[in-house]
């Protein structure tokens, strides 16, 4: 589904991604963790073309991002993305947040888009909030709406960039529950998170990054076993201590 | 002791009203076209293309470095020839058209800077969110960024409109009768120039004061 081969990226002289490779199959759930600044966000943003890269190959659902003149907008419409700070559109109500790209990008009719939106809002437990504006919702509710919004495009895969790290502790669970459901329903997911409970529960594999390199890429049983690199063990003991 | 003589004002009110209509007409046209063109300029200025960004920057710099009076006179001298060549319509009032074009073009350079700042005040994540949903750059700008930016900019746009409303009095240099022009002519004719200009000043003050307060009120409401 997603194939990353030797991807490198530089900001000027600074190398953010070093020869990163990973294969993510259909229906797989992959968690990416690593210290701040290690390039996790940058890596998942290359997957939907939000960040360009200079070296390597990237193929998403049969579309190569290396080809010149590929329709990036089309690719992005098929890969959902959830951001740390939700990024709902504050000038639009919840329903419109979920229908605007269905109508304008996929060309769906208003009625069809709204039915789909309401179904998805029901799935994240927020049907009753469809006329509210994002500012009237709690952080956890906003993030659930953001997930529903990404799903409204019928994506073939979902990318999450620290979806719970901007949330108050008591709201983290409601968002993770939605993500667990998604995973169990067979969605292909790449999740940058430090929620190791989530990783243990639903991840197929865990990737550990540091200084722009992928240092570990293992099935979760192995990853959470004792065999990992020293750097990774250090990191894990630090975040699990919290 | 100077005796004020307000007697010529009541009779002149219809003319003054006509002048006010012209003043408002120029203001509205220049605000509308200025904002439209300013939005285009601001978007070009922020575009990745060095060339387009340079063109927009040059436009803004040039118009902001030239006195408005000169812009007005230029267009007055330039527009007639262009228009008569294109449209061939002799009874079109060239002065009105010249004032529309000049003020719109001039205001666009000011609005462009206001709108650019407004666009830049929107968090980067909003662009990413639009793009991540498959919107084109143009769609993200139109559906996501500009509606938010304009909401924040309303007070500044209004303040700029107030300045423009006052600046329209410059059309007297091309012989156009706006509110100020009518007041001046009536005063001259009746020998009551001081009274007419005091009256005109009071009207400008009331309109601008009210609009400025509205802008301040909106600013406060938007901030909360
Ligand atoms: N536009 C940019 N220009 C220059 N450097 C950048 C830019 N964006 C990110 N970086 C740098 O690239 C590195 C990786 O950033 P990235 O956001 O991918 O890290 P991250 O692993 O997601 O970190 P965090 O856990 O803090 O989100 C960081 O050192 C950051 O400072
Ligand atoms: Mg990050």
């Amino acid at each position: 589904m997603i194939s990353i081969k030797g991807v490198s990226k530089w900001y000027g002289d600074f190398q953010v991604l070093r020869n990163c490779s990973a294969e993510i199959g259909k229906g797989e759930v992959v968690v990416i963790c690593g210290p701040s600044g290690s390039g996790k966000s940058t890596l998942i943003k290359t997957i939907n073309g939000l960040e360009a890269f200079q070296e390597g190959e990237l193929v998403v659902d049969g579309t190569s991002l290396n080809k010149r003149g590929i329709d990036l907008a089309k690719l992005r419409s098929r890969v959902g993305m959830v951001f740390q700070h939700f990024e709902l559109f504050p000038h639009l109500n919840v329903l419109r947040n979920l229908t605007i790209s269905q109508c304008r990008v996929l060309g769906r009719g208003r009625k069809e888009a709204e039915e789909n939106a309401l179904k998805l809002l029901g799935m994240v437990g927020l049907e009753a909030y469809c006329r509210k504006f994002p500012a009237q919702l709690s952080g956890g509710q906003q993030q659930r709406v953001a997930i529903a919004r990404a799903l409204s495009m019928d994506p073939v895969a979902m990318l999450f960039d620290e979806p719970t790290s901007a949330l108050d502790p008591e709201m983290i669970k409601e968002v993770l529950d939605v993500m667990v459901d998604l995973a169990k329903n067979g969605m292909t997911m790449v999740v940058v998170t430090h929620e190791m409970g989530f990783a243990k529960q639903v991840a197929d594999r865990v990737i550990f990054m540091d200084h722009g390199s992928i240092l570990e890429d293992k099935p979760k049983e192995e990853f959470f076993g004792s065999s990992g690199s020293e750097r990774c063990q250090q990191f894990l003991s630090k975040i699990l201590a919290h | 002791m100077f005796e004020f003589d307000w007697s010529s004002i009541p009779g002149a009110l219809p003319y003054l009203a006509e002048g006010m209509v012209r003043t408002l007409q120029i203001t509205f046209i220049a605000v509308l076209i200025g904002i439209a063109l300013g939005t285009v300029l601001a978007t070009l200025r922020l575009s990745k293309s060095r060339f387009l960004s340079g063109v927009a920057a040059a436009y803004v710099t040039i118009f902001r470095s030239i006195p408005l009076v000169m812009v007005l006179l230029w267009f007055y001298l330039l527009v007639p020839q262009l228009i008569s060549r294109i449209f061939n319509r002799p009874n079109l009032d060239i002065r009105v058209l010249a004032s529309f074009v000049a003020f719109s073009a001039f205001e666009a350079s000011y609005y462009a800077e206001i709108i650019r700042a407004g666009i830049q005040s929107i968090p980067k994540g909003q662009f990413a969110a639009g793009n991540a949903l498959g919107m084109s750059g143009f769609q993200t700008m139109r559906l996501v960024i500009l509606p938010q930016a304009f909401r924040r900019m309303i007070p500044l746009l209004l303040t700029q409109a107030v300045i423009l409303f006052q600046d329209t009095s410059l059309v007297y240099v091309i012989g156009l009768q706006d509110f100020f022009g009518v007041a001046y002519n009536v005063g001259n004719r009746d020998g009551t120039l001081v009274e007419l200009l005091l009256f005109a000043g009071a009207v400008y003050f009331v309109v601008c004061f009210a609009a400025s307060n509205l802008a301040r009120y909106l600013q406060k409401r938007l901030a909360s």
Side-chain angles (χ1 to χ4, degrees), chain A residues 73 76 87-88 90-91 104 153, chain B residues 126 131-133 139 143 148:
Chain A
R76 289 177 188 142
E87 305 300 349
L88 293 177
H91 59 300
R104 301 304 180 111
M153 301 294 285
Chain B
Q126 290 284 303
N131 286 333
L133 285 164
Q139 282 180 317
L143 303 172
Q148 296 182 57

Side-chain angles (χ1 to χ4, degrees), chain A residues 11-236:
Chain A
Y11 283 118
D13 287 340
F14 176 70
Q15 190 169 4
V16 221
L17 296 178
R18 294 167 196 270
N19 197 22
C20 294
S21 299
E23 295 287 329
I24 295 149
K26 193 165 163 47
E28 259 193 311
V29 177
V30 173
V31 162
I32 303 180
C33 61
S36 180
S38 56
K40 309 176 297 288
S41 299
T42 310
L43 181 66
I44 69 164
K45 283 181 186 156
T46 59
I47 295 175
N48 68 348
L50 279 181
E51 294 277 0
F53 53 94
Q54 284 89 31
E55 274 178 18
E57 264 177 65
L58 224 164
V59 181
V60 177
D61 195 32
T63 307
S64 166
L65 275 86
N66 293 71
K67 287 216 192 80
R68 283 187 168 272
I70 77 154
D71 190 346
L72 271 183
K74 184 151 183 225
L75 173 87
R76 289 177 188 142
S77 71
R78 291 161 55 221
V79 179
M81 178 143 198
V82 175
F83 300 87
Q84 183 174 9
H85 297 287
F86 332 134
E87 305 300 349
L88 293 177
F89 304 136
H91 59 300
L92 303 176
N93 70 20
V94 165
L95 190 63
R96 195 76 188 115
N97 261 279
L98 267 73
T99 56
I100 188 161
S101 52
Q102 291 188 67
C103 296
R104 301 304 180 111
V105 177
L106 300 180
R108 285 185 185 153
R110 198 189 176 98
K111 193 153 173 287
E112 184 192 356
E114 285 186 355
E115 274 168 17
N116 189 33
L118 287 172
K119 191 190 80 196
L120 290 165
L121 284 173
M123 206 188 82
V124 300
L126 291 170
E127 223 172 345
Y129 291 78
C130 67
R131 301 284 166 202
K132 296 251 193 253
F133 282 83
Q136 298 170 296
L137 270 53
S138 73
Q141 291 170 330
Q142 288 189 52
Q143 194 62 300
R144 280 145 67 198
V145 172
I147 293 171
R149 181 178 70 176
L151 290 171
S152 75
M153 301 294 285
D154 298 332
V156 294
M158 289 277 285
L159 311 173
F160 295 80
D161 190 1
E162 305 204 30
T164 57
S165 60
L167 295 176
D168 292 335
E170 71 270 19
M171 294 171 185
I172 291 177
K173 188 173 177 300
E174 66 189 52
V175 171
L176 289 179
D177 284 348
V178 170
M179 292 168 61
V180 168
D181 278 348
L182 261 185
K184 288 188 174 153
N185 283 324
M187 177 59 79
T188 309
M189 293 164 68
V190 182
V191 187
V192 174
T193 186
H194 291 161
E195 293 294 333
M196 288 304 133
F198 173 80
K200 283 179 181 159
Q201 194 179 349
V202 292
D204 295 297
R205 277 169 29 229
V206 183
I207 289 176
F208 174 72
M209 286 185 76
D210 196 15
H211 291 115
S213 306
I214 292 181
L215 293 188
E216 311 239 351
D217 178 354
K218 291 184 174 156
K220 74 172 168 211
E221 296 78 12
E222 259 181 68
F223 185 86
F224 290 113
S226 55
S227 64
S229 70
E230 200 183 319
R231 186 74 191 82
C232 180
Q233 294 301 331
Q234 263 178 13
F235 175 76
L236 277 182

